[in-house]
Amino acid sequence: MARKKITMIGGGQIGGNLALLAAQKELGDIVIFDIPQAEGMVKGKALDLMQLRPHDGYDANITGTSDWNDVKGTDVFIITAGIPRKPGMDREDLLGINLGIMKDVATHIKEQAPNAFVIVISNPLDAMVYTFYKVSGFPKNQVIGMAGALDSGRFRTFIAMETGYSVQDVTCMVLGGHGDTMVPITRLATIGGVPVTDLISPERIKEIEDRTRVAGGEIVKLFGNGSAFYAPAQSAIEMAESFIRDKKRVIPCASLCEGEFGIDGYFIGVPSVIGSGGVEKILEFSLTDDEKAGLNKTLDAVKKTVGETGL
Ligand code: A3D
């Protein structure tokens, strides 16, 4: 079977790590695409990653380019093109610049690889994935946004840090938009099947939820000149792997809702089944009144940013 072709659109902090992780997992051959001004940077990263192979033993082929013709036939795109936040910025502040970039990227991807599965990471996430969907005209199952995977991973991390138990056994999900209104569903969080609500005090749980909502901003403040990249990259690789290997993982992701959870016409973080058919299903379940109120609030925030795209 021919190897899959995976293209990273944007070869910056997340893009470079995406290429490394995809290569180490041997998900396929990898192209790192960036603008002409950054061509040397992505060609250099590709060569560096090629030279890591003798030590790690993977056989992926990695190339860097700024020529759209080189992405033809791609099976999976992961898009990080755009600018990241700096301290004091909301994700929404990035819309002005990243909207134009996403429109350009969507137009080229449509031309070069109309059947590809596309994972969007650029912020503001819920509006960027919507923009890609609208401009490309791709079917909804081919387009997804990475956010809930990361936000849930952050929630899991903080629960593991709090209890000292293995992060591997912490399961939980964070739904809604990728912003400070996201909704951790603590009621369903467990450690090895034991409800987290029986293991951590309500006061500490509240603090962990609050920290989760602003976890991206905590890192932006520490860095001073960019945003998180290791965990965002790994979160998107989990999604790409589920598609490539038809694993049918259930991951909170920004998928297009058409009636699910009472939401219609918006991409927002919901439990999504990812397999060879792309976004194969959204798993709906009953929410408490508080959770519903939280989801309505986050939906309002998403609608506002999506409205600003003018699409
Ligand atoms: P950075 O290291 O600046 O990389 C972005 C890359 O995009 C740069 O190399 C640019 O040259 C490139 N680029 C700009 N315009 C284009 C274009 N038209 N075509 C192709 N490439 C282009 O940023 P980063 O990797 O740290 O972050 C990338 C994006 O991800 C930002 O918008 C972040 O806000 C976002 N992000 C999202 C999450 C989520 O959880 C959703 C988490 C972390 C970062």
Side-chain angles (χ1 to χ4, degrees):
M1 199 171 64
R3 288 187 205 160
K4 294 284 186 200
K5 180 169 178 177
I6 306 156
T7 299
M8 314 311 173
I9 304 291
Q13 294 282 46
I14 304 179
N17 278 288
L18 284 168
L20 171 64
L21 294 166
Q24 287 182 322
K25 280 188 170 277
E26 293 193 307
L27 294 185
D29 288 332
I30 296 151
V31 177
I32 315 176
F33 176 95
D34 211 301
I35 51 177
Q37 299 90 308
E39 191 182 7
M41 187 262 292
V42 291
K43 281 194 181 323
K45 281 192 181 179
L47 206 50
D48 195 7
L49 287 167
M50 288 291 278
Q51 293 164 7
L52 194 156
R53 300 183 315 163
H55 308 287
D56 213 4
Y58 55 80
D59 281 317
N61 195 43
I62 305 138
T63 49
T65 185
S66 62
D67 181 348
W68 278 110
N69 289 312
D70 292 337
V71 316
K72 198 176 264 315
T74 292
D75 297 289
V76 183
F77 285 96
I78 309 183
I79 306 175
T80 59
I83 55 161
R85 283 195 282 171
K86 295 209 166 52
M89 288 174 99
D90 285 331
R91 295 177 179 87
E92 288 67 28
D93 295 332
L94 306 173
L95 186 75
I97 293 178
N98 289 355
L99 177 63
I101 292 175
M102 190 56 66
K103 285 181 176 170
D104 179 58
V105 166
T107 307
H108 281 104
I109 288 183
K110 184 183 176 179
E111 263 169 39
Q112 301 291 346
N115 299 316
F117 181 56
V118 177
I119 301 170
V120 175
I121 303 185
S122 312
N123 270 321
L125 188 274
D126 308 280
M128 287 301 99
V129 63
Y130 182 90
T131 299
F132 181 91
Y133 171 72
K134 283 285 174 185
V135 174
S136 68
F138 275 24
K140 65 173 181 175
N141 63 306
Q142 275 177 244
V143 184
I144 195 162
M146 188 295 292
L150 174 66
D151 299 329
S152 305
R154 285 172 167 161
F155 193 32
R156 288 172 62 191
T157 302
F158 296 143
I159 289 172
M161 282 161 64
E162 175 73 13
T163 58
Y165 304 137
S166 172
V167 73
Q168 218 183 321
D169 293 318
V170 181
T171 56
C172 62
M173 65 177 130
V174 176
L175 304 185
H178 183 54
D180 302 350
T181 56
M182 64 181 76
V183 191
I185 308 289
T186 311
R187 176 177 60 96
L188 301 178
T190 75
I191 306 181
V194 180
V196 159
T197 45
D198 286 344
L199 299 173
I200 307 177
S201 71
E203 298 75 36
R204 281 299 294 150
I205 285 181
K206 166 101 183 36
E207 283 166 14
I208 291 170
E209 289 174 350
D210 289 346
R211 187 175 181 189
T212 300
R213 287 193 193 90
V214 295
E218 184 179 352
I219 293 178
V220 169
K221 252 189 235 153
L222 289 167
F223 282 172
N225 64 351
S227 53
F229 49 93
Y230 293 123
Q234 181 59 40
S235 305
I237 289 297
E238 261 188 286
M239 294 162 64
E241 184 181 22
S242 191
F243 169 77
I244 289 168
R245 306 206 203 283
D246 193 24
K247 285 170 75 90
K248 303 193 194 298
R249 299 260 334 253
V250 180
I251 305 177
C253 298
S255 298
L256 181 69
C257 290
E258 289 182 319
E260 292 90 350
F261 296 99
I263 298 168
D264 197 20
Y266 290 93
F267 283 81
I268 199 159
V270 286
S272 307
V273 180
I274 305 175
S276 58
V279 187
E280 295 185 350
K281 202 172 178 196
I282 292 171
L283 299 189
E284 232 184 319
F285 62 96
S286 346
L287 298 172
T288 65
D289 288 346
D290 278 356
E291 290 161 356
K292 270 186 210 154
L295 207 57
N296 283 336
K297 191 169 162 209
T298 190
L299 179 62
D300 285 344
V302 169
K303 279 182 178 170
K304 182 169 174 290
T305 319
V306 166
E308 286 166 17
T309 65
L311 293 166

